[in-house]
Amino acid sequence: MIEPLERALEAKFDALAQGLAEPGYAVMANFFPTDLALTLAAETQARWQAGAFRAAGVGRGPGWVRRPDIRGDEVCWLEDEAPSPALAQALATLDGLKAHLNAALFAGLEDFEVHLARYGRGAFYARHIDQFEDTTRRAISIVLYLNHQWRRQDGGALRLWTTPAPGREAPSSKTPYVEVLPEAGTLVAFRSADFWHEVRRARRPRLSLTGWFLRRAANPLEQLG
């Protein structure tokens, strides 16, 4: 017998898969319970206070560079560590989503890279596409928000242009978009290569768990960086 919580999670996975298939993105409020998101927020803030975060940059490998004119967030990569119970639950749920997308969409996802992100007051991330130009490994972008009682006047919304951009053609002033407030428990997923997006300037500290489901590298050199 399928338990009610398991059935509810499966329904959420189905809805996200349908959105990723068409139109290519999905936004789901209350994907994670608020209490779990707020526990992760407290852990994120504690890591930041302990000095575990570093200023983010753009590019990868030898091409990585700090560009505060493009992005002002700080990140803490989650790699090879024993996670807390709350973080373990979150990562297990996202791993379940990855498996579901493979089954439902034949997505070929094999790995997950993830970090915690913090935008201080005044920080933003200018318009960009998540997939690097020299590799196609990033397939699906995932953002889980951790902020309690976020208001529109707090800024920090995710602006996602909703027309796919083959060839990285930048959106125009007429391109439609959605804006998502980074409220605790909300999950956003979109095809990494297809959608321009930005983080609007935050007016209070803004926290998230952000990651990418990765395809197998077509070339071993793609894994470097």
Side-chain angles (χ1 to χ4, degrees):
M1 180 178 178
I2 300 176
E3 296 294 330
L5 288 177
E6 183 180 343
R7 186 181 296 113
L9 190 58
E10 193 77 7
K12 291 179 179 181
F13 287 175
D14 282 337
L16 289 168
Q18 290 170 16
L20 288 167
E22 185 64 39
Y25 68 92
V27 179
M28 183 174 292
N30 302 311
F31 177 78
F32 274 55
T34 300
D35 59 349
L36 174 59
L38 296 183
T39 298
L40 291 173
E43 292 183 12
T44 300
Q45 189 66 13
R47 286 173 181 248
W48 179 77
Q49 291 172 339
F53 280 65
R54 296 293 181 266
V58 298
R60 71 184 196 115
W64 185 93
V65 63
R66 279 199 64 192
R67 288 289 305 271
D69 58 318
I70 294 176
R71 65 183 299 187
D73 57 317
E74 300 172 272
V75 299
C76 175
W77 287 94
L78 302 176
E79 301 173 316
D80 300 327
E81 63 178 75
S84 68
L87 184 56
Q89 181 181 346
L91 295 177
T93 301
L94 293 174
D95 193 60
L97 173 60
K98 177 168 64 70
H100 187 93
L101 296 178
N102 279 337
L105 304 178
F106 304 100
L109 308 172
E110 69 164 13
D111 207 351
F112 184 41
E113 60 179 6
V114 60
H115 63 58
L116 299 168
R118 183 184 187 276
Y119 288 76
R121 291 181 180 87
F124 65 95
Y125 194 164
R127 185 176 67 188
H128 64 285
I129 285 179
D130 276 355
Q131 194 179 85
F132 295 114
E133 293 187 2
D134 63 345
T135 175
T136 59
R137 291 203 75 203
R138 284 185 176 179
I140 305 295
S141 300
I142 299 289
V143 188
L144 170 67
Y145 294 114
L146 310 177
N147 310 285
H148 190 44
Q149 296 181 342
W150 197 271
R151 306 164 300 171
R152 188 163 296 279
Q153 57 264 40
D154 294 327
L158 172 74
R159 178 175 290 186
L160 180 77
W161 281 268
T162 57
T163 301
R168 296 177 177 264
E169 181 179 349
S172 73
S173 59
K174 297 182 179 179
T175 305
Y177 60 82
V178 296
E179 286 197 348
V180 182
L181 295 183
E183 178 64 28
T186 295
L187 185 90
V188 179
F190 55 91
R191 297 196 300 251
S192 302
D194 293 343
F195 292 94
W196 288 89
H197 57 287
E198 69 180 19
V199 176
R200 308 289 285 172
R201 193 179 298 274
R203 299 189 183 94
R204 57 178 270 208
R206 174 195 191 272
L207 309 176
S208 68
L209 186 152
T210 300
W212 298 269
F213 292 150
L214 307 177
R215 296 189 184 96
R216 181 185 303 275
N219 181 326
L221 293 177
E222 290 188 25
Q223 297 192 41
L224 301 177

